[in-house]
């Protein structure tokens, strides 16, 4: 690899420094940010996945650096930005260094993708934290190194803790849709919020209208959410006692809602399988 550039100059320099200092882990160089990034990648993926592509200058071919880094779910788009941010980190003299923060956050993301795919113990999570520039890190060399890039550890601390919480609780953010009704309006009729998140705006509007019709609420009414909340509470307590006075019409309304749900589920299934 001597004389060649692997990924970019920052990666080439960092990996060379790692290889030169890996036998002297107490050296100051071993705790510098460039080397620590490589050590962190090795902790997450293993040395072979990082060093072998370097030795063979294999960035994006089969079995190369890119495929190794994305194998647990980290996206190629994020990987491209990670590489670019690592290079720009050493071209920026402003504190806080936004690229330093981005690199650290991407490393945190990579670890928790691996945790999701393979699982990890609390001991492994604690070990991973020693590679990060967090306020809890007791490595004095890393604390001094961090001062070159950030004024406060708060942003990284918060990011790490949020990712850890999300990982431990299977917390998933669903896309927000402006034209949704109260969550109970869907769950009462057997529809999950995950399903709602997959609907396009047109289908969701059609379903909303059918639900409002079922509960005898005008879609243009200003207090429709309050009326919907009361109707759902009444429905849960007394069952389908909200009627038009015509049992046949009531049955058609309910069947119409159910049909919309079933047809939408079928459409989603076809898109996924197709």
């Amino acid at each position: 690899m001597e004389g060649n550039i692997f990924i970019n100059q920052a990666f080439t320099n960092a990996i060379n420094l790692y290889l030169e200092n890996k036998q002297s882990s107490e050296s100051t160089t071993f705790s510098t940010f460039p080397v620590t990034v490589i050590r962190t990648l090795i902790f997450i993926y293993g040395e072979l996945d990082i060093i072998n592509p370097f030795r063979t200058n294999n960035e994006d071919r089969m079995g190369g650096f890119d495929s190794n880094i994305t194998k647990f779910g980290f996206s190629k788009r994020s990987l491209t930005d990670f590489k670019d941010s690592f290079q720009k980190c050493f071209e920026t003299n402003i504190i806080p260094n936004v690229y330093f923060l981005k690199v650290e956050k991407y490393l945190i993301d990579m670890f928790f993708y691996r945790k999701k795919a393979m699982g990890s113990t609390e001991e492994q999570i604690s070990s991973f934290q020693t590679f990060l520039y967090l306020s809890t890190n007791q490595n004095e060399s890393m604390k001094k190194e961090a001062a070159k890039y950030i004024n406060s550890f708060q942003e990284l601390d918060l990011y790490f803790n949020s990712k850890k919480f999300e990982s431990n609780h299977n917390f998933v953010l669903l896309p927000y849709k402006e034209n949704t009704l109260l969550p109970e309006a869907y769950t009462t009729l057997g529809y999950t919020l995950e399903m709602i998140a997959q609907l396009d705006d047109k289908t969701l509007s059609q379903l909303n209208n059918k639900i409002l019709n079922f509960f005898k609420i005008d879609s243009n009414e200003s207090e429709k959410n309050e009326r919907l909340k009361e109707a759902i509470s009444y429905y849960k307590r007394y069952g389908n006692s909200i009627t038009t006075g015509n049992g046949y019409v009531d049955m058609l309304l309910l069947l119409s809602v159910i049909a919309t749900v079933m047809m939408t589920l079928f459409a989603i299934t076809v898109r996924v399988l197709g």
Side-chain angles (χ1 to χ4, degrees):
M1 268 302 296
E2 188 174 353
N4 293 329
I5 299 298
F6 178 65
I7 300 176
N8 55 42
Q9 193 64 58
F11 267 98
T12 302
N13 293 345
I15 295 177
N16 278 322
L17 283 172
Y18 166 78
L19 293 172
E20 291 167 8
N21 291 273
K22 63 181 292 188
Q23 302 305 325
S24 52
S25 59
E26 299 303 316
S27 69
T28 303
T29 304
F30 203 64
S31 293
T32 58
F33 178 61
V35 177
T36 301
V37 169
I38 302 306
R39 290 169 54 209
T40 309
L41 289 171
I42 288 171
F43 178 83
I44 298 170
Y45 297 98
E47 189 171 72
L48 288 177
D49 279 1
I50 307 303
I51 302 304
N52 274 7
F54 170 76
R55 294 193 187 283
T56 58
N57 199 17
N58 182 2
E59 179 182 355
D60 52 15
R61 302 188 304 278
M62 185 178 297
F65 182 85
D66 288 4
S67 60
N68 291 343
I69 298 299
T70 56
K71 66 182 179 181
F72 297 129
F74 190 68
S75 73
K76 290 185 177 180
R77 182 177 180 179
S78 295
L79 177 57
T80 299
D81 192 44
F82 169 70
K83 295 174 184 176
D84 187 52
S85 296
F86 192 46
Q87 176 66 36
K88 288 181 178 178
C89 182
F90 307 106
E91 301 170 354
T92 303
N93 296 316
I94 300 173
I95 297 176
N97 188 318
V98 295
Y99 298 108
F100 171 88
L101 293 168
K102 288 180 76 172
V103 167
E104 285 288 285
K105 289 177 181 180
Y106 278 137
L107 291 171
I108 292 170
D109 291 344
M110 291 176 195
F111 175 80
F112 283 107
Y113 271 115
R114 176 180 179 263
K115 179 179 183 292
K116 183 177 181 180
M118 301 184 64
S120 64
T121 64
E122 282 299 318
E123 183 179 359
Q124 288 172 322
I125 295 174
S126 296
S127 295
F128 173 63
Q129 288 178 252
T130 65
F131 293 92
L132 302 174
Y133 291 84
L134 303 173
S135 63
T136 54
N137 197 318
Q138 300 302 309
N139 186 311
E140 291 299 325
S141 295
M142 290 181 69
K143 286 182 179 180
K144 292 178 181 178
E145 185 77 1
K148 300 177 183 178
Y149 303 98
I150 53 176
N151 295 317
S152 168
F153 296 98
Q154 183 178 20
E155 185 172 345
L156 283 176
D157 284 354
L158 288 173
Y159 191 81
F160 175 80
N161 289 329
S162 68
K163 286 295 180 179
K164 183 179 179 182
F165 178 86
E166 178 182 328
S167 173
N168 289 338
H169 294 81
N170 292 319
F171 185 70
V172 178
L173 291 176
L174 296 174
Y176 173 72
K177 292 180 178 291
E178 291 185 356
N179 61 333
T180 52
L181 301 174
L182 298 172
E184 284 187 305
Y186 304 109
T187 57
T188 298
L189 296 171
Y191 218 48
T192 69
L193 299 183
E194 288 82 0
M195 295 173 186
I196 295 300
Q198 297 180 63
L199 300 181
D200 58 63
D201 289 340
K202 182 179 179 181
T203 305
L204 181 58
S205 293
Q206 291 173 347
L207 178 60
N208 288 347
N209 287 332
K210 290 182 183 297
I211 290 174
L212 290 172
N213 286 337
F214 177 73
F215 287 110
K216 311 297 182 295
I217 298 171
D218 187 342
S219 60
N220 296 316
E221 188 174 332
S222 60
E223 301 294 327
K224 68 180 179 183
N225 282 335
E226 286 301 316
R227 285 207 55 208
L228 183 58
K229 187 185 298 184
E230 293 172 1
I232 292 169
S233 177
Y234 189 88
Y235 181 85
K236 285 183 174 181
R237 181 177 297 180
Y238 300 108
N240 189 18
S241 299
I242 306 169
T243 73
T244 61
N246 186 321
Y248 179 71
V249 172
D250 290 337
M251 182 178 69
L252 288 180
L253 282 171
L254 180 58
L255 288 175
S256 177
V257 174
I258 293 172
T260 300
V261 171
M262 296 304 293
M263 289 179 68
T264 304
L265 282 174
F266 176 75
I268 292 172
T269 302
V270 169
R271 287 202 298 268
V272 172
L273 294 179

